[in-house]
Amino acid sequence: MRDTRIWQRLLGLPQVVVESLNVEEADDGDGEVLVVGVRARKGAVRRCGRCGRRAPWYDRGGGVRRWRHLDFGVVRVLIEAAAPRVDCPTHGPTVVQAPWARHGSRFTAAFEDTCAWLAARAAASTVSQLLRVSWRAVTGIAGRVVTEASGGTDRLAGLRRVGIDEVAYRKGQRYLTVVVDHDTGRLIWARAGRDKATVAAFFDDLAPSGPRS
Ligand SMILES: [Zn+2]
């Protein structure tokens, strides 16, 4: 490719070198996907995917991996890159940190942020259809985004099993506590804030006197 910098900018991947662009049939048979092959810049520091600390090379790990990225026009985009392991002093052999994704995710952080933003505003079924991901993926993404926004501790973990999630928006400066009906996938309650008082307000609304609205 003559100029890959324009692709880095269009795809929002300033940290890497775009090496290849290929259009392929999608695995699910639903149209085509754009596969963007990227690699780390020469001399880039390798970091542990869990803690972000510098760590030496360990092995090739599971080889090449793909991450779903934001759509480009009408096609889905997959970022493809090697995912070697580093030998972290704390975590041992761990997949290297990918600058575009959260650890352990099949999606880029840009895709996840978009998904979480939408999940706070629309029925999960709507988000799932619009972004062409499963409902399970939507909830997994919301969990990762929220955990990151709350500094790695998931303060509402015990409650999420009953369908309560907190979602960050406006670049993590504000939070919504959202309650989702897992049977219908519909958002049934939401309020700004993410503390115990917010959750208590939900249970107050559930009281026999009915929603105060
Ligand atoms: Zn580590």
Side-chain angles (χ1 to χ4, degrees), residues 1 4 11 43-44 46 58 74 79 126 152 154 160-161 184 202-203:
M1 254 173 307
T4 60
L11 294 164
R46 289 194 190 93
Y58 182 75
V74 297
I79 306 298
T126 304
D154 196 342
R160 286 185 39 228
R161 278 176 283 157
T184 63
F202 167 64
F203 288 107

Side-chain angles (χ1 to χ4, degrees), residues 172-209:
Q173 312 230 327
R174 299 195 182 194
Y175 297 87
L176 281 181
T177 294
V178 298
V179 182
V180 175
D181 178 344
H182 280 307
D183 293 324
T184 63
R186 204 162 266 290
L187 186 69
I188 55 176
W189 190 91
R191 182 164 298 186
R194 58 165 177 163
D195 55 14
K196 282 178 181 167
T198 314
V199 177
F202 167 64
F203 288 107
D204 283 349
D205 283 353
L206 281 184
S209 55

Side-chain angles (χ1 to χ4, degrees), residues 26-187:
D27 283 346
D28 60 9
D30 184 17
E32 294 173 318
V33 292
L34 175 64
V35 180
V36 182
V38 305
R39 65 166 170 80
R41 288 199 170 134
K42 280 200 166 53
V45 174
R46 289 194 190 93
R47 295 179 183 280
C48 168
R50 284 190 185 278
C51 64
R53 287 166 64 194
R54 282 171 177 247
W57 164 276
Y58 182 75
D59 68 5
R60 295 173 58 84
V64 168
R65 280 180 55 189
R66 289 179 170 188
W67 292 259
R68 172 82 184 278
H69 191 34
L70 294 167
D71 290 359
F72 191 80
V74 297
V75 300
R76 283 172 287 175
V77 174
L78 298 172
I79 306 298
E80 185 178 77
R85 293 194 296 176
V86 293
D87 192 11
C88 175
T90 305
H91 300 105
T94 308
V95 175
V96 72
Q97 185 178 68
W100 55 85
R102 295 182 175 92
H103 187 65
S105 177
R106 299 181 293 118
F107 302 92
T108 66
F111 185 95
E112 292 193 325
D113 292 347
T114 300
C115 185
W117 189 92
L118 281 168
R121 289 164 173 75
S125 57
T126 304
V127 181
S128 171
Q129 278 181 33
L130 177 68
L131 297 181
R132 294 183 275 188
V133 292
S134 68
W135 153 241
R136 262 184 90 81
V138 174
T139 57
I141 287 167
R144 269 190 298 279
V145 172
V146 166
T147 300
E148 182 184 88
S150 58
T153 54
D154 196 342
R155 293 155 60 196
L156 296 179
L159 291 167
R160 286 185 39 228
R161 278 176 283 157
V162 298
I164 298 177
D165 271 312
E166 55 179 18
V167 177
Y169 65 106
R170 292 195 188 162
K171 296 184 178 173
Q173 312 230 327
R174 299 195 182 194
Y175 297 87
L176 281 181
T177 294
V178 298
V179 182
V180 175
D181 178 344
H182 280 307
D183 293 324
T184 63
R186 204 162 266 290
L187 186 69

